[in-house]
Amino acid sequence: DSDPIDEARRQWVAHGWDGAADGMAAVTSVFRAQQILLQRIDAVLRPLDLTFARYEILTLLSFTKQGALPMTRMGTLLQVHPTSVTSAVDRLEAQGFVERQPHPTDRRAVLASITAGGRARSLEATTALNADVFTRLGISAAQTTQLRSVLRALRSNAGDF
């Protein structure tokens, strides 16, 4: 089977864009890899009635000592817009996995707090993702380490952290 991204790269070179051909192929490969991973993650989470965004919130809350965080802090930690956090928390609250609570010292802030059901669902989802996605990427352990390193450098150079 031929790789369509390799073919696109070949076309870039044929059209005189040699200097950009490898970068185009790399960017396109990252986008395609993201699609593949999102499909695999969605296949695991859909039966649990979760999206990856809601899963990330549940897991983040389950990692905290109190099981609660200010909603603004969650957006910062997850690197998503506050509107996305609000929307995901709305859905998690409707599912009974999260409760909103007033912040004990800041009247303007609202905490999202994970429920016992949310903890159980987070653990169930993590167990499934670990088994079906995270430990089975389709590349070797050494390649996984190399990929993490390369993507970390890209993120760092972009000012992501």
Side-chain angles (χ1 to χ4, degrees), residues 41-85:
I41 289 167
D42 188 53
V44 170
L45 294 179
R46 188 182 312 115
L48 301 175
D49 199 22
L50 290 177
T51 62
F52 194 63
R54 287 182 299 196
Y55 166 74
E56 285 185 304
I57 287 174
L58 284 180
T59 302
L60 176 63
L61 290 173
S62 75
F63 288 162
T64 65
K65 289 178 187 170
Q66 305 299 322
L69 281 171
M71 293 194 29
T72 52
R73 180 74 177 132
M74 286 193 305
T76 301
L77 291 171
L78 296 173
Q79 299 176 304
V80 297
H81 193 274
T83 305
S84 298
V85 172

Side-chain angles (χ1 to χ4, degrees), residues 18 32-33 36 41 44 69 84 93 119 121 137 145 158 161:
D18 307 47
R32 183 62 189 131
I36 291 166
I41 289 167
V44 170
L69 281 171
S84 298
E93 190 172 35
R119 282 189 189 281
R121 185 58 54 96
L137 290 180
T145 299
F161 58 91

Side-chain angles (χ1 to χ4, degrees), residues 26-36:
V27 168
T28 305
S29 293
V30 167
F31 273 95
R32 183 62 189 131
Q34 179 192 24
Q35 291 170 340
I36 291 166

Side-chain angles (χ1 to χ4, degrees), residues 80-113:
V80 297
H81 193 274
T83 305
S84 298
V85 172
T86 299
S87 175
V89 168
D90 286 347
R91 180 63 194 257
L92 289 166
E93 190 172 35
Q95 291 176 282
F97 296 149
V98 167
E99 296 173 340
R100 281 185 171 88
Q101 299 176 338
H103 192 286
T105 59
D106 183 351
R107 291 185 304 154
R108 297 167 297 162
V110 174
L111 298 177
S113 177

Side-chain angles (χ1 to χ4, degrees), residues 134-146:
F134 300 151
T135 60
R136 299 162 81 198
L137 290 180
I139 58 178
S140 71
Q143 288 171 319
T144 300
T145 299
Q146 184 179 17

